Amino acid sequence: MEEVTDEPLYRDRVCGIDIGKAGMVATVRVPSEMNPARRMAETRAFATTKRGVLALADWLRCWQVPAVAMEATGDYWKGPFYRLEAEGFECVLADARQIKNLPGRPKRDSSDSAWIAVCFERGSITSCFVPTGEFRLIRLHTRYRRDLTGDRTRDKNRVEKLLESAAIKISAVLADVHGMTAAGTGPGRGGLLHRGPRRAAEGHAGAHRPG
């Protein structure tokens, strides 16, 4: 650990994390054991796997660090954020543009994790909204259902375009080509495609393909 001098702080013990796809770099900043007016900082690299995040959690506990801050980088932050949150740490998600535009970063400092830790201990980071676990689960299923509905609609449109390109005018006599009437599953119906206007179903598919 190296000691550094700094201004009055918002938090005594913090960690800043710079997350990538396969790995992350974490910087811990805590009060100096020799002089409480000074700070100690240490930086380590970890994998973003479950084992790597648990190793990070153990390292943070060794330094009695209760809170961590990280940038919202793509979707890479989600795994470490959720795991550290489950391990009992206070997790703060920062907007990458906010971190980049904060003044005071030394030009010689190339470590993003160290700068995040400095901003975090000064209280300069505004946390982005991260929903609770229950809300995240509901949102996940809702978005997945929306995606499935969109896929179904696109497939229906693709079928109708194929029929139109083959001069099969089923949509001219049916309100819904994929409905119960067209499939012949309606009560008391034999299916309009099977016994309805034959001319609408006449066409030539040939080498047509869905658009």
Side-chain angles (χ1 to χ4, degrees):
M1 277 266 187
E2 61 174 337
E3 293 187 356
V4 293
T5 305
D6 224 323
E7 58 189 47
L9 307 173
Y10 175 72
R11 295 174 182 265
D12 285 337
R13 296 175 177 270
V14 300
C15 176
I17 305 177
D18 180 28
I19 302 177
K21 182 176 183 179
M24 55 185 171
V25 178
T27 297
V28 163
R29 290 177 62 88
V30 297
S32 170
E33 297 176 354
M34 303 298 296
N35 183 2
R38 296 175 64 84
R39 305 285 288 168
M40 294 194 304
E42 181 178 356
T43 300
R44 287 190 182 183
F46 298 88
T48 52
T49 60
K50 178 180 179 180
R51 182 175 297 182
V53 178
L54 291 177
L56 170 60
D58 291 338
W59 183 57
L60 295 176
R61 292 190 184 100
C62 290
W63 288 106
Q64 300 179 359
V65 174
V68 300
M70 61 190 74
E71 287 183 342
T73 307
D75 289 333
Y76 301 151
W77 62 272
K78 293 184 178 180
F81 188 100
Y82 297 155
R83 174 56 60 178
L84 290 174
E85 189 178 52
E87 291 293 318
F89 293 93
E90 177 189 353
C91 298
V92 173
L93 184 67
D95 189 302
R97 290 175 297 180
Q98 178 195 14
I99 296 294
K100 181 179 180 180
N101 294 328
L102 286 174
R105 180 172 184 171
K107 294 183 179 180
R108 57 181 173 81
D109 184 11
S110 59
S111 173
D112 289 337
S113 63
W115 178 239
I116 294 172
V118 170
C119 295
F120 190 32
E121 69 183 5
R122 293 176 181 174
S124 302
I125 294 179
T126 301
S127 178
C128 299
F129 171 72
V130 178
T132 61
E134 182 179 1
F135 186 86
R136 288 198 296 263
L137 184 61
I138 295 174
R139 186 172 65 175
L140 175 65
H141 288 288
T142 301
R143 289 179 174 178
Y144 183 55
R145 184 181 185 279
R146 182 189 61 191
D147 292 341
L148 290 178
T149 302
D151 291 340
R152 182 181 63 182
T153 301
R154 284 188 290 270
D155 286 340
K156 286 183 177 181
N157 292 337
R158 192 175 294 114
V159 170
E160 293 187 19
K161 289 175 65 177
L162 174 62
L163 294 175
E164 286 292 334
S165 65
I168 300 176
K169 303 297 183 177
I170 300 300
S171 58
V173 295
L174 290 179
D176 185 2
V177 176
H178 305 274
M180 296 176 62
T181 301
T185 57
R189 299 177 181 271
L192 187 56
L193 288 183
H194 300 288
R195 64 184 186 88
R198 300 291 182 178
R199 293 181 180 178
E202 293 176 353
H204 175 67
H208 292 287
R209 294 292 183 270

